Amino acid sequence: MPAKVIIGAQWGDEGKGKITDMLSADADMVVRFQGGNNAGHTVIVDGKVFKFHLIPSGVIYDKPCLIASGVVLDPKVLLKEIAVLRENELEAKLQIDPHTNIIMPWHQQLDAAKEQGLGDRKIGTTKKGIGPCYAERITRTGIRFMDLLDSHLFRQKLESNYASSALILKGVYGQEPLQSQDQIYADYMAMAEQLRHCLADVGGLVNAAIAEGKNVIFEGAQGTFLDISYGTYPFVTSSHTISGGVFVNVGIPPQPLDSIGIVKAYTTRVGSGPFLTELHSEIGEHIRTVGKEFGTTTGRARRVGWLDLVMLKYAHRLNGFTQLAITKLDVLSGMEKIKVAVDYLLDGVSVSFPLSLSDLERCEAVYEEFEGFEIDSSMRTWEELPLAARKYLRFIDEYLGTNSTMISVGPGRKETILLPEH
Ligand code: IMP
Ligand code: MG
């Protein structure tokens, strides 16, 4: 069986947490491969709400959870999540790749200072230090999980990175470091001690599991249009969020994957950047309220708009979706009309999703209008869905050439309609 990868097809917050949690029931391991605690996954089990940022959602099913080398890891956040799980009598079976880069206090400070410096042009980051940590990694000065386990090497790297980040903070932003070097050294050494037993060759373990035919799930974070290369740059995150990122970020060879695209029945975005189908009307306000569209990580109100099939066509090209899960269909319940973007016009000419941000900003969306429908969270079969909802869903698959296999009609695990391939 090919390994499964769960990918956000839009700008994140499509409901990957719920789908990962559902699919984890039969999984042998769940692996995070990119991003860090900028992510926020909400999982609801027996009415109890869990919010994770770093630990893979499979943890609730007591599955082995792996953090691969492509992740940037804030040990403070990880230890907090482990503690919350313990309070609920759950012990995370956690393994961390030694190549994983560590988020340091200056990354968060630089993230916030840079955003402030950008003023109106700010990205709207989560200020968790993700970008600066990945930047250090790429310039080959980053501190990795394995470095924390060698106190001498850690002290050396800390001295050097602390000094250079202090220079930037002072010279560019007029700020002093928030903590002393000695304080950081002591904190991180103590945290490393608590996480030392998690060290594992994650790439090797995943490779072996796949070779043995085990059920491996790769849990994506953020979404396709936040990809560092193919997203709406610079309004993106600092990692590859698309399905192909799995191989290099886990350290396994290229191979066919079951690529599961998670598509929210409408579109949301947190942070700045172009959003063609954005609604600034009461309808948008209604969807935000009903869909509880407020960030899991930052609490910010998410921007809300209609479903955009032009975007999704590009997402499908990038990710090669073998299945789609359509989430939050219930949120659209009771609306009179529902619109879907089916084309973009650039200076009046029909175009596919533009590669340049300035072209994208000049595009105008063309919509197709659908009749509204009523959705009840107790619906479990295709036949129970109102005709208008079926029409909406079929249209998505026909336009994209995809196969929707899961329709989510409520936040709980069971509030899902499973469909055979069609
Ligand atoms: P960063 O990842 O904190 O650097 O933020 C870069 C952009 O990605 C901002 O627009 C964030 O709001 C967005 N972003 C980061 N993580 C998530 C996520 O998990 N869901 C949705 N948006 C995210
Ligand atoms: Mg989220």
Side-chain angles (χ1 to χ4, degrees), residues 125-142:
T125 74
T126 60
K127 299 188 183 145
K128 304 294 180 192
I130 307 295
C133 185
Y134 275 117
E136 236 176 43
R137 175 195 197 207
I138 294 297
T139 55
R140 295 162 295 187
T141 52

Side-chain angles (χ1 to χ4, degrees), residues 199-413:
L199 180 87
D201 172 15
V202 166
L205 289 171
V206 171
N207 212 36
I210 293 175
E212 286 165 28
K214 297 256 173 75
N215 184 358
V216 176
I217 295 183
F218 298 108
E219 176 179 8
Q222 292 85 47
T224 298
F225 291 87
L226 292 171
D227 183 274
I228 184 69
S229 292
Y230 307 103
T232 47
Y233 191 93
F235 303 103
V236 293
T237 192
S238 299
S239 63
H240 282 297
T241 58
I242 58 175
S243 58
V246 164
F247 307 118
V248 74
N249 283 319
V250 178
I252 57 166
Q255 56 198 286
L257 290 176
D258 189 359
S259 172
I260 306 175
I262 315 299
V263 173
K264 184 143 52 178
Y266 46 95
T267 311
T268 61
R269 167 165 212 169
V270 247
S272 328
F275 183 172
L276 250 63
T277 63
E278 184 167 11
L279 286 161
H280 297 283
S281 60
E282 269 173 33
I283 300 176
E285 201 52 54
H286 169 82
I287 296 176
R288 183 178 304 113
T289 310
V290 178
K292 300 195 178 67
E293 295 295 353
F294 297 88
T296 310
T297 303
T298 57
R300 288 179 287 180
R302 294 179 186 141
R303 298 159 66 194
V304 170
W306 296 120
L307 188 71
D308 183 341
L309 293 179
V310 180
M311 257 178 89
L312 289 174
K313 195 152 210 156
Y314 185 46
H316 183 35
R317 206 217 80 195
L318 288 165
N319 292 295
F321 295 133
T322 50
Q323 309 178 43
L324 291 187
I326 313 282
T327 60
K328 299 187 108 166
L329 187 67
D330 52 305
V331 174
L332 297 181
S333 181
M335 296 180 63
E336 203 181 320
K337 300 274 181 199
I338 295 165
K339 287 200 202 179
V340 178
V342 292
D343 198 5
Y344 284 3
L345 297 180
L346 180 62
D347 300 329
V349 178
S350 166
V351 291
S352 48
F353 193 83
L355 304 185
S356 105
L357 194 74
S358 54
D359 282 352
L360 178 60
E361 278 166 345
R362 283 171 42 225
C363 278
E364 201 186 314
V366 179
Y367 293 94
E368 179 126 348
E369 201 171 70
F370 288 81
E371 287 302 320
F373 41 77
E374 303 279 337
I375 301 286
D376 180 329
S377 294
S378 67
M379 292 173 176
R380 291 292 173 272
T381 62
W382 177 253
E383 289 68 32
E384 280 172 90
L385 284 170
L387 205 59
R390 288 191 238 167
K391 237 173 156 173
Y392 184 71
L393 296 168
R394 276 287 179 265
F395 186 79
I396 298 172
D397 273 342
E398 273 160 21
Y399 183 103
L400 298 173
T402 48
N403 192 26
S404 297
T405 53
M406 290 170 265
I407 313 294
S408 177
V409 291
R413 261 180 199 170

